[in-house]
Amino acid sequence: MAPYRVLVVDDSPFMRKIFSDLIVQDPQFTIVATACNGIEAIEAVKKWKPDAVTLDLEMPELNGLDALQRIMIEQPTPVIMLSGISEENTRETIKALQLGAFDFIRKPMGAFSNDIVRVGELLLEKLRIAVLTKRYSTAVMDTDKKKASNNRDMPEQSRLAQPAKSAEEGNNRKRGLLQPEQQAEARDASAPALEKKTKPTGGLRNPVKPLTDGGGRPYGSAPGIPIAPVAAALEENKERKRFRHTDGFDQLIAIGTSTGGPRALHEVITSLPAQLAAPVLIVQHMPPKFTKSLAQRLDSFSELEVVEASQGDRLKAGVVYIAPGGHHMELAKDQSGYYVQLTQKPPRNGHRPSVDVLFESLTPFDELKRHAVIMTGMGSDGAKGMKALVDSGAESAIAESEQTCVVYGMPRSAIETGCVKTVLPLQQIAAELQHAVLKG
């Protein structure tokens, strides 16, 4: 098989050389071209149609974020962002992930840094997953098009009565992972969102449209809007959110995700209602500093308050707590109620924070109706924890379906344990959670 073709984009000739040398250490990859700014990157993607792109954030003429938006619209391709660790860089990286970047890595700290070898290993790991995901997604989309074409030629009753088309679909029906009435209910609840958000474009299975304001303009691009009124409005919105919080709750939502998670979390968290009668605990595999930017970004779009969790935070309904990078997050309780316990115990499944650690910490609290969700991500983190949680009487165990996952590893691992009760496409998860909490 021919090597996978990678486009390297960075305004620094030295960094282009560093990343190119790191990538070709694996014979699976070859450098098809390099580019020094966003304009060159867009043209190179059109010309060479690479299997993956590494894209710097800060570049002249057209920066990485603007180039990413154009690439995802014109020639969807797996993009790995190259990020610094400044506060501005972490904010821009989170935006990039929500706009469709496959993943990111932190750039090495210096020319002779011991960090370079580790960064290279991490980059190759992410590239391997990215190119396989693209190849699989393209094949699935071709299959979906054929199925859709065949279905259009069939009478409506025949389409509705079709048997399961795969072993997985058949097994899901037998195991009752998603009952017909649940499918109809969730589908009805989220039909308008599905019409807008699930149109396939290009080679990637789930390209993302740029997030827009009420006038259809990308956020941050609207001309003539003074900064001060916007800042005042955001502060007023925060105060309004805090006013709704309550210490009293008898339900709790816990979500675990990894690669593709920021985008998936945006879909779910921004679709949950302001009156949600449960706190939400989230583990997203991400380094320190980036989780804070993720929380700030989600908070600016959500009716719920979203925060990076701190040690001892008292849980309140209607608040979303994101585990800080570098720390495990657990649920704890004392005489005053439930609170966040952060630890630096050894990594689990190679991760800190770990989804397994969060889920397992919920098992003693069977007085709460617990709703667990596993979404897109590499590996198997969360599978054992979800199994333990279900065995302890959890109310809901939801996995994101393969069709909408960027990487299906974590949901698949959970499903294989037999503990998952419901499998849903990303766009229906918030509706299912809302229904579960209301029902409880």
Side-chain angles (χ1 to χ4, degrees):
M1 185 178 69
Y4 294 106
R5 301 152 75 249
V6 181
L7 169 66
V8 174
V9 185
D10 199 296
D11 62 323
S12 162
F14 176 77
M15 293 309 297
R16 290 199 299 273
K17 171 67 171 168
I18 286 288
F19 281 111
S20 296
D21 288 348
L22 289 171
I23 290 168
V24 298
Q25 286 180 13
D26 187 331
Q28 293 184 79
F29 299 104
T30 185
I31 305 302
V32 68
T34 62
C36 65
N37 59 53
I39 295 173
E40 287 189 8
I42 293 166
E43 293 305 313
V45 168
K46 291 179 183 176
K47 179 179 179 180
W48 298 104
K49 295 179 173 54
D51 296 297
V53 178
T54 66
L55 183 61
D56 191 19
L57 271 172
E58 297 179 334
M59 295 182 295
E61 297 189 48
L62 189 70
N63 64 37
L65 200 62
D66 292 336
L68 172 69
Q69 293 185 65
R70 290 273 303 277
I71 290 169
M72 298 311 293
I73 292 170
E74 298 173 14
Q75 185 72 41
T77 305
V79 175
I80 296 176
M81 305 302 297
L82 308 177
S83 172
I85 59 172
S86 69
E87 185 174 346
E88 179 63 24
N89 273 179
T90 59
R91 284 198 299 266
E92 295 296 292
T93 300
I94 297 304
K95 289 181 186 178
L97 294 172
Q98 291 181 334
L99 290 169
F102 180 81
D103 211 330
F104 76 98
I105 62 166
R106 289 181 295 140
K107 297 176 78 169
M109 299 299 293
F112 303 101
S113 170
N114 294 330
D115 204 28
I116 288 179
V117 173
R118 189 184 61 80
V119 167
E121 292 172 349
L122 187 59
L123 174 58
L124 286 172
E125 177 187 343
K126 294 179 185 293
L127 280 172
R128 291 178 194 121
I129 299 295
V131 294
L132 289 176
T133 300
K134 181 189 179 185
R135 180 161 293 186
Y136 164 80
S137 298
T138 303
V140 171
M141 285 187 69
D142 290 342
T143 302
D144 287 350
K145 287 176 183 177
K146 290 177 183 177
K147 288 180 180 178
S149 177
N150 291 338
N151 284 348
R152 280 194 298 270
D153 297 332
M154 298 172 63
E156 183 177 0
Q157 292 302 318
S158 298
R159 291 200 302 269
L160 294 175
Q162 286 184 80
K165 296 181 178 64
S166 67
E168 181 186 4
E169 184 179 340
N171 289 337
N172 285 354
R173 290 185 184 180
K174 290 175 186 175
R175 296 211 306 251
L177 293 178
L178 184 59
Q179 300 300 323
E181 62 268 25
Q182 291 175 305
Q183 291 177 335
E185 187 173 62
R187 187 165 57 246
D188 292 342
S190 59
L194 283 170
E195 289 178 5
K196 296 178 182 178
K197 298 176 183 175
T198 59
K199 296 180 181 178
T201 306
L204 282 181
R205 182 158 183 79
N206 303 302
V208 171
K209 294 182 179 179
L211 302 172
T212 58
D213 63 17
R217 296 177 295 267
Y219 272 99
S221 67
I225 298 179
I227 293 176
V230 172
L234 288 173
E235 190 60 35
E236 181 181 344
N237 187 42
K238 287 182 181 179
E239 289 302 319
R240 179 171 53 82
K241 291 178 183 179
R242 292 191 188 105
F243 183 74
R244 292 195 302 260
H245 299 163
T246 173
D247 296 324
F249 58 86
D250 61 1
Q251 303 191 65
L252 182 144
I253 295 170
I255 301 174
T257 187
S258 185
T259 306
R263 189 177 140 194
L265 288 171
H266 180 91
E267 175 70 37
V268 172
I269 299 304
T270 62
S271 300
L272 291 172
Q275 299 80 16
L276 186 70
V280 182
L281 301 180
I282 293 175
V283 165
Q284 160 71 57
H285 296 160
M286 195 169 273
K289 297 187 178 181
F290 290 89
T291 44
K292 181 178 180 180
S293 293
L294 174 62
Q296 291 172 338
R297 178 80 174 167
L298 288 173
D299 184 65
S300 68
F301 285 95
S302 175
E303 281 293 311
L304 303 172
E305 183 180 2
V306 185
V307 299
E308 182 185 52
S310 298
Q311 173 62 27
D313 277 351
R314 293 287 170 181
L315 295 195
K316 298 177 183 293
V319 181
V320 179
Y321 303 85
I322 297 179
H327 292 79
H328 291 305
M329 180 168 69
E330 302 178 27
L331 179 65
K333 185 181 182 183
D334 59 17
Q335 292 181 343
S336 299
Y338 300 97
Y339 66 94
V340 168
Q341 177 73 47
L342 300 181
T343 77
Q344 288 196 303
K345 297 174 184 175
R348 289 272 298 274
N349 309 302
H351 301 289
R352 191 173 62 200
S354 162
V355 185
D356 274 335
V357 170
L358 171 62
F359 284 179
E360 289 169 6
S361 76
L362 306 181
T363 57
F365 303 106
D366 56 3
E367 71 275 14
L368 293 174
K369 291 182 175 68
R370 295 150 296 168
H371 309 280
V373 182
I374 289 184
M375 302 193 299
T376 176
M378 289 186 283
S380 61
D381 189 27
K384 292 180 180 178
M386 180 173 274
K387 178 70 165 62
L389 198 50
V390 170
D391 289 345
S392 73
E395 191 81 7
S396 306
I398 301 168
E400 182 183 351
S401 68
E402 185 174 9
Q403 286 71 25
T404 59
C405 280
V406 174
V407 180
Y408 188 49
M410 286 168 57
R412 178 174 56 200
S413 295
I415 290 169
E416 288 173 350
T417 68
C419 70
V420 172
K421 300 179 181 182
T422 309
V423 177
L424 289 172
L426 175 63
Q427 294 85 357
Q428 295 180 14
I429 290 175
E432 176 66 16
L433 286 172
Q434 183 179 357
H435 172 72
V437 172
L438 288 173
K439 183 176 68 174

